[in-house]
Amino acid sequence: MYANHGLAVGEKKDFEVYSCHVSPDGSRLVTAAGDGHVRIWSTEAIYSASDPNCSKPKQLASMSYHSGTIHTVQFSANNRYLASGADDKIVCVYTLDPNPPSHSATFGTNEAPPVENWRIFRRLIGHDNDVQDLGWSYDSSILVSVGLDSKVVIWSGHTFEKLKTLSNHQSHVKGITFDPANKYFATASDDRTIKIFRFTPPAPNATSHDQMNNFQIEATIVSPFASSPLTTYFRRCSWSPEGNHIAAANATNGQVSSVAIIDRGSWGGEINLVGHEGPVEVCAFSPRLYCKDPPGQANQDGRGFSTQHLVTVIACAGQDRALSVWNTSRPNPLINFQDLTAKSISDLAWSPDGRSLFATSLDGNVFAMIFEEGDLGHVVGIEENEKALAKYGAGRRGAGVIEGTDGLILEEKSKAGELKGVEGRMGALMGDSEPKSAQKTNENELVVQGTTISATGPHTANGLPNGRTSDDKPIGQEPQQPQQDMYAAKLERLKQRVTITKDGKKRIAPLLVSASSGMAESSLPRPELMAASASNQGTKNEAPQSILDLSKPFDGLPKGGLSALLLGNKRKAAVLGGDEDEHVEKKLASATRNGTAIPIIMNGVDGLRPPQASDTPRDIQPTPDFLRPAVLSPNITVSQVRLAVPKVRSHVVRNCEGNRDSSVGGLQTNGTNGVARGGEDLIFEARNPTGPSATGRPADRDPARIAVIRRGQTVWQDFLPRSVMLTTGNQNFWSAATEDGSVYVWTPAGRRLLNAMVLDAQPVILDCKGWWLLCISAVGMCHVWNVKTLSAPHPSVSLGPILDIAIHSMQSHPTIAPAVTSARLNSQGNMIVTLSNGDGYTYVPSMFVWQRLSEVWWAVGSQYWNTTDSSVGNLQSFSGSSKAGDVSQNEMSMANISAGIIPHLERSTTNETLVRGRAYVLQRLIKSLLSREGFEGFESCVSIGHLENRVAAAMQLGAKAEFRLYLYMYAKRLGSEGLKGKVDELLKGLLGSIFEAVEGSKDLDELQEKQGSGGWEDKGEYLCGWKRQELLKGVVLILGKHRDLQRITVPYSNLLNAMDEDAGDDAAMVS
């Protein structure tokens, strides 16, 4: 026992306590009793009652504005008001005055002086008899009171005007409960029914006339109460926190008292809580959900929700003076208190955290029960309640209440920045982009729609200020002549063209101006989306240039990609015709046991088989386009990965970018990247021997001739003993691969840079980018070298993992793997590989593993899969000082590292799967999942996962521009979903240690060298090339408009001082 209303005023009489309730913040307990007082207690003092050193006041305030017994009391959900109802037919509404109390204690009593100043706010008169119970909606928009006059009175929660009176019950109404989804409320009456009313939350300025069609009866529940006794003082029912059930007091199961559990929607149920010996007067669901095991990362999904089975907890009490606590996973009560009080228990109230339960009794006592962790289960986050209520259309999250001026200022900044971004995009869509409508004349003037705006003021198109004529021009300045329209005369003649009708009348033929090419410009808006950096390039380059930090496509791959074959570990001899009993395997095994020579066998597609002699061709054979197939390495016979080997051609030609053309004279370079010294084209040519050897011996072969040609003149040449299969090169080096698996490298002047590098099989792909050289062999081994430092960033790695070899490794027959459609390098030497199944991969040298950056799963399920979006597809350099011709292929700026790779991979996925219809089955699967129970948030989860995949890929590749873009898109989605856990984690990751000195890195250049190598936990000041503080500021401004997240974002905003300065372009909003 904690308190007694009689002892509180120094009287020996025990006044019955009829009601109690805990404030939404859990700091106050309010009770109502027969002494006509509403008392507010400190829950902190209650929890510390066993501590003898606790000196905090127990009672905070006491109000006695009623003239009779107070039957019910309850705080509003917004914690702003307190309402009470009594037998004087009045409902009183109280509010907390922040000023201190004006009096010390009530004259003539022994009560303690008040600590809080609660005053009467409204007196609501609308009942004709005692008020038995009341309840607030979960958004505090309405207050509903019920009484012995059989009426249900609905009051506005804003103006406290009576909106409607419902007289559907035929007897005393003794209980009310609200749906946590804010769609229904239920009332219990002595007419042995519970009535469900549907309502729409009224507006703050709503009147009774507006609500005539609101608050309609939805259902009437009769069956559990057919024989319920009429002797109970209350029928206090309760709605479960996830919205699925109603616990109805004073029900019966046969002749036994019980608590009926009513299902939502069907408004019926077969579950009854049986065990109380007398009628149950009050039921109270705990406001939280519980799970069996402690919540943690191990039992949470990607969105932070629990994967465990969640249960609800309900407490029941009544005239038998017993208190029982149940949960939905057990048929028996968890706790059962017998003879807890001397008289009936009148009310129950849970604390908001679900760990404390308060009970009041007609013997005048108030009891507090505090449960240890795990007694009832483990409490899960309030987000689980919101998730469960979302399927009923609850919109509680997102409304939010501004908790301070800092949150309001941050919200205004966030909305202003977002509006600025929208206006900029709309201006671009409406043809107001600067390169078209604002042409740059000099560094201080812009011509906008015929008017020049300069530092001195607006000018007209002829260069003069407004209001001045050519006579007022400055001395020494000649007036500019207007440019003559070459089509003006022709247009004038067409306008005056006269035609004669059939009746001899002359008519001027109408001219369709839009059909006259070049004579008129359409007034329709031009949808030109220009990148932000395009304005710095003047009018010479109006279209945005897409920057792709990848080597030029290798055109040696066949149509559809380089075929791949996977061989399992289990191989057996092929079944020959008439040899179903596997005699071939027995003959081979016996020959080996007898010590004879092991016969030759071939590892064919169908298995192991003896070689067969081929017929010698005697007729004239047509000359093929190639010389012959390459001589295969013996390593292919034991490798589990086999790639198609290109045939030996007589003439292999490359320019310095790696592009091939059939004729040497037709080769041209593409921009500045293909220009060598003096701007002259360089051709790398390999000629293989086509005729018989000069010695006449079939075993001998003439050498292959290597030459570099400039404008038809040989710059240098060399010879190789083997036929050349592949060549590549750029301004830094030339390279050629021969059919024996050797790779040669020359300097631009023709000096051999190193010895021949011998591979394990024939080369099938040879590519270069900057100082990096890539070679992939026929057994799927990828080799990358840095020719400048003569080193490799990682050991040779196999393509097997990305070709799904893990699935097919234990099969006995070969399996066709996805074809390799491209294998390219970026400026950092990272391999980027795309496959015919739409997947895109990169190899991470620091982790020695392949990472999948793009796949058809995101293309089908994500809402952000849009490769034609200019904000994603036309990313440009953020370096304002670099121009189009200043950045060469070999000298990429920090802003352009890995630029455009992620959009390139997603476009490849679209082309290989969606365009060709290969994702049809997966699309049908996704559509079917969206309509199934349990997959309500499937599309949202996949979309967030896609954004997280983009952010991780951009960070791994060091793609500066994409990283910031995808990070802001990700932050905006987290804000709209209200994922507080992920938001908090993201902000902490961005914060890092930006206020700590970087150990061993005092030089900015040294710091920038490390800016792309670290992850979220890196202690450096930079993250993927951006200052952490700049990224954090942008994310905080994006999230600032979400009020439910301001408890997380406002501290970061104050830390960064983002509210006192205009973020401007530092936080480009993404929508």
Side-chain angles (χ1 to χ4, degrees), residues 610-634:
Q612 297 179 356
S614 59
D615 297 333
T616 303
R618 297 179 182 179
D619 299 333
I620 298 177
Q621 300 295 323
T623 303
D625 296 334
F626 54 89
L627 295 180
R628 54 182 170 78
V631 178
L632 299 181
S633 170

Side-chain angles (χ1 to χ4, degrees), residues 206-383:
T207 63
S208 58
H209 180 74
D210 302 333
Q211 304 302 310
M212 291 182 61
N213 296 324
N214 201 357
F215 311 105
Q216 300 297 320
I217 190 167
E218 178 78 8
T220 300
I221 305 169
V222 179
S223 57
F225 316 103
S227 59
S228 63
L230 303 178
T231 58
T232 58
Y233 206 75
F234 300 104
R235 290 175 179 261
R236 286 174 168 157
C237 45
S238 179
W239 213 303
S240 62
E242 86 287 2
N244 290 337
H245 308 288
I246 302 175
N250 201 10
T252 56
N253 186 9
Q255 299 299 321
V256 180
S257 297
S258 67
V259 176
I261 304 299
I262 302 170
D263 298 331
R264 182 194 187 104
S266 64
W267 310 117
E270 301 296 332
I271 302 176
N272 288 273
L273 306 182
V274 179
H276 284 269
E277 297 178 357
V280 177
E281 296 195 19
V282 55
C283 303
F285 271 105
S286 171
R288 304 296 288 271
L289 299 175
Y290 300 80
C291 60
K292 181 179 180 181
D293 300 322
Q297 295 292 337
N299 47 35
Q300 290 181 350
D301 58 14
R303 300 177 60 190
F305 293 113
S306 176
T307 58
Q308 303 183 63
H309 176 64
L310 302 182
V311 299
T312 56
V313 174
I314 181 175
C316 308
Q319 293 182 357
D320 59 352
R321 301 172 297 166
L323 172 65
S324 61
V325 180
W326 311 67
N327 72 11
T328 54
S329 63
R330 295 183 54 177
N332 299 320
L334 294 174
I335 304 171
N336 190 8
F337 297 99
Q338 295 290 338
D339 297 327
L340 182 64
T341 61
K343 294 183 179 180
S344 299
I345 297 176
S346 57
D347 203 0
L348 299 171
W350 288 90
S351 61
D353 59 2
R355 290 186 170 90
S356 302
L357 177 63
F358 298 90
T360 59
S361 172
L362 297 183
D363 61 5
N365 294 321
V366 181
F367 297 86
M369 286 152 279
I370 303 175
F371 300 97
E372 297 292 337
E373 181 69 24
D375 288 348
L376 306 176
H378 298 275
V379 179
V380 297
I382 195 65
E383 296 82 6

Side-chain angles (χ1 to χ4, degrees), residues 987 990-991 1028-1036 1052 1056:
L987 294 178
L990 289 174
L991 182 65
R1028 287 179 177 266
Q1029 185 174 355
E1030 181 180 354
L1031 295 176
L1032 182 61
K1033 185 184 300 182
V1035 171
V1036 168
Y1052 289 94
L1056 296 172

Side-chain angles (χ1 to χ4, degrees), residues 651-657 659-661 663-669 674 676 680-686 706-716 727 734:
H651 196 192
V652 184
V653 179
R654 293 290 187 277
N655 67 355
C656 68
E657 285 186 353
N659 291 332
R660 180 177 64 87
D661 199 299
S663 61
V664 177
L667 283 173
Q668 295 182 356
T669 57
E680 297 169 332
D681 296 339
L682 291 178
I683 306 301
F684 190 46
E685 179 186 65
I706 300 293
V708 172
I709 302 172
R710 177 189 295 144
R711 293 186 178 181
Q713 300 295 326
T714 301
V715 179
W716 61 267
T727 59
W734 304 101

Side-chain angles (χ1 to χ4, degrees), residues 641 643 776 779-782 797-804 820 833 850:
V641 179
L643 300 180
I776 300 179
V779 294
M781 298 302 294
C782 303
V797 58
S798 174
L799 287 176
I802 66 176
L803 297 178
D804 296 334
V820 179
V833 179
W850 290 97

Side-chain angles (χ1 to χ4, degrees), residues 551-869:
S551 57
K552 295 300 179 179
F554 176 70
D555 65 340
L557 298 180
K559 184 178 181 181
L562 193 67
S563 301
L565 192 68
L566 300 179
L567 302 179
N569 294 328
K570 297 181 178 180
R571 301 290 288 159
K572 64 179 182 178
V575 178
L576 304 179
D579 190 28
E580 288 78 4
D581 296 334
E582 300 182 354
H583 294 299
V584 176
E585 289 186 352
K586 296 179 180 179
K587 291 179 181 179
L588 295 176
S590 60
T592 305
R593 286 195 299 267
N594 296 334
T596 58
I598 299 176
I600 298 175
I601 58 175
M602 297 183 65
N603 193 356
V605 176
D606 298 327
L608 306 175
R609 60 190 307 153
Q612 297 179 356
S614 59
D615 297 333
T616 303
R618 297 179 182 179
D619 299 333
I620 298 177
Q621 300 295 323
T623 303
D625 296 334
F626 54 89
L627 295 180
R628 54 182 170 78
V631 178
L632 299 181
S633 170
N635 288 336
I636 292 184
T637 61
V638 296
S639 174
Q640 290 184 265
V641 179
R642 300 184 186 180
L643 300 180
V645 179
K647 295 180 173 61
V648 179
R649 292 170 289 177
S650 60
H651 196 192
V652 184
V653 179
R654 293 290 187 277
N655 67 355
C656 68
E657 285 186 353
N659 291 332
R660 180 177 64 87
D661 199 299
S662 58
S663 61
V664 177
L667 283 173
Q668 295 182 356
T669 57
N670 182 12
T672 58
N673 291 340
V675 178
R677 301 174 184 174
E680 297 169 332
D681 296 339
L682 291 178
I683 306 301
F684 190 46
E685 179 186 65
R687 292 184 177 272
N688 293 318
T690 57
S693 173
T695 61
R697 297 178 54 192
D700 297 336
R701 290 180 182 173
D702 293 341
R705 180 180 180 271
I706 300 293
V708 172
I709 302 172
R710 177 189 295 144
R711 293 186 178 181
Q713 300 295 326
T714 301
V715 179
W716 61 267
Q717 67 177 0
D718 200 349
F719 296 91
L720 298 178
R722 296 287 186 269
S723 296
V724 177
M725 299 176 61
L726 304 171
T727 59
T728 188
N730 54 31
Q731 299 178 11
N732 297 325
F733 63 88
W734 304 101
S735 180
T738 59
E739 64 175 331
D740 64 345
S742 300
V743 179
Y744 299 84
V745 181
W746 295 268
T747 62
R751 179 173 56 90
R752 293 205 180 194
L753 194 59
L754 45 86
N755 302 105
M757 297 180 289
V758 183
L759 306 182
D760 47 359
Q762 285 73 25
V764 296
I765 294 178
L766 189 66
D767 198 9
C768 66
K769 174 73 172 177
W771 287 100
W772 299 97
L773 177 62
L774 166 67
C775 184
I776 300 179
S777 65
V779 294
M781 298 302 294
C782 303
H783 307 265
V784 179
W785 303 284
N786 189 322
V787 179
K788 184 177 182 179
T789 60
L790 301 182
S791 61
H794 53 80
S796 58
V797 58
S798 174
L799 287 176
I802 66 176
L803 297 178
D804 296 334
I805 196 171
I807 300 176
H808 307 288
S809 60
M810 298 306 295
Q811 295 184 2
S812 58
H813 291 284
T815 304
I816 298 177
V820 179
T821 55
S822 70
R824 302 162 71 177
L825 289 171
N826 73 342
S827 58
Q828 300 297 300
N830 295 328
M831 289 186 292
I832 308 296
V833 179
T834 61
L835 304 179
S836 60
N837 61 1
D839 293 352
Y841 296 87
T842 184
Y843 186 76
V844 184
S846 59
M847 302 178 67
F848 298 101
V849 70
W850 290 97
Q851 287 190 5
R852 186 186 296 109
L853 305 186
S854 178
E855 57 181 317
V856 68
W857 175 259
W858 308 125
V860 175
S862 174
Q863 298 170 336
Y864 294 92
W865 191 268
N866 182 13
T867 56
T868 60
D869 186 0

